Amino acid sequence: MSKASKATDVQAEMAQLALHAKSAQELMTRIVELLHERMLKYNWVGFYMLEAGRPPMLVLGSFQGAMTPHTRIPLHQGICGAAASTGKTVVVDDVNQDPRYLACSLETKSEIVVPVFAHGKVVGELDIDSHFPAAFKDEDRALVEFCATLVGKTLEKSSK
Ligand code: SME
């Protein structure tokens, strides 16, 4: 079987992962591994988790890809901050045209950031960068949102 996979196939594998993961942390680690390995245009994949405090911060969690200088991001900065503060998915087809963009790698051309909700509140987000412009189509958005929902549900189960 080819290593490159369709988003819908990978989505089915994610649902299986969520059934067997022993913790939300394990699930997040497996999700970033699987997305990075199977979705060939997903060149950097990582979770940021929201840390309460003044100011609140997005803190880098599990990730795959090159180390990023952005390990802590305030909510008013970056595409990451925009997604967490609005609670909405942000898709950027050309990061160099977006003044909010915080550069992670010079090779990055497009990005998607999807908030993770637990008990109705943003608790983190799943961030993916691509070396290809406009890499994130509707089926990618559906896959990444599905992964973020799985993590949110798993977090809810562990913090009732
Ligand atoms: N590009 C993000 C910063 C995180 S790195 O991509 C890993 C942003 O603009 O918020």
Side-chain angles (χ1 to χ4, degrees), residues 1-133:
M1 194 170 109
S2 153
K3 274 190 91 183
S5 302
K6 276 196 194 153
T8 45
D9 297 340
V10 175
Q11 190 162 317
E13 288 184 53
M14 291 297 174
Q16 285 301 311
L17 274 188
L19 287 178
H20 300 292
K22 292 187 183 64
S23 66
Q25 184 54 57
E26 182 188 313
L27 179 61
M28 288 188 273
T29 301
R30 297 287 294 118
I31 284 174
V32 298
E33 284 170 358
L34 195 57
L35 288 177
H36 189 252
E37 181 190 317
R38 301 288 296 278
M39 303 301 290
L40 296 184
K41 292 187 177 179
Y42 294 15
N43 300 108
W44 190 95
V45 182
F47 281 94
Y48 284 90
M49 301 313 287
L50 189 59
E51 182 184 272
R54 293 189 190 167
M57 285 279 176
L58 292 161
V59 180
L60 183 62
S62 295
F63 73 97
Q64 288 278 313
M67 186 57 195
T68 170
H70 304 293
T71 55
R72 295 176 67 81
I73 303 175
L75 292 184
H76 65 279
Q77 281 185 14
I79 294 162
C80 287
S85 57
T86 60
K88 293 199 160 54
T89 296
V90 181
V91 177
V92 178
D93 287 342
D94 178 355
V95 293
N96 294 312
Q97 298 299 319
D98 193 317
R100 299 169 299 182
Y101 176 62
L102 296 172
C104 171
S105 152
L106 290 176
E107 289 178 293
T108 298
K109 301 287 190 304
S110 59
E111 179 162 6
I112 182 171
V113 187
V114 175
V116 173
F117 286 87
H119 304 297
K121 290 190 178 142
V122 175
V123 293
E125 61 191 22
L126 178 50
D127 176 19
I128 305 179
D129 294 350
S130 179
H131 296 172
F132 299 84

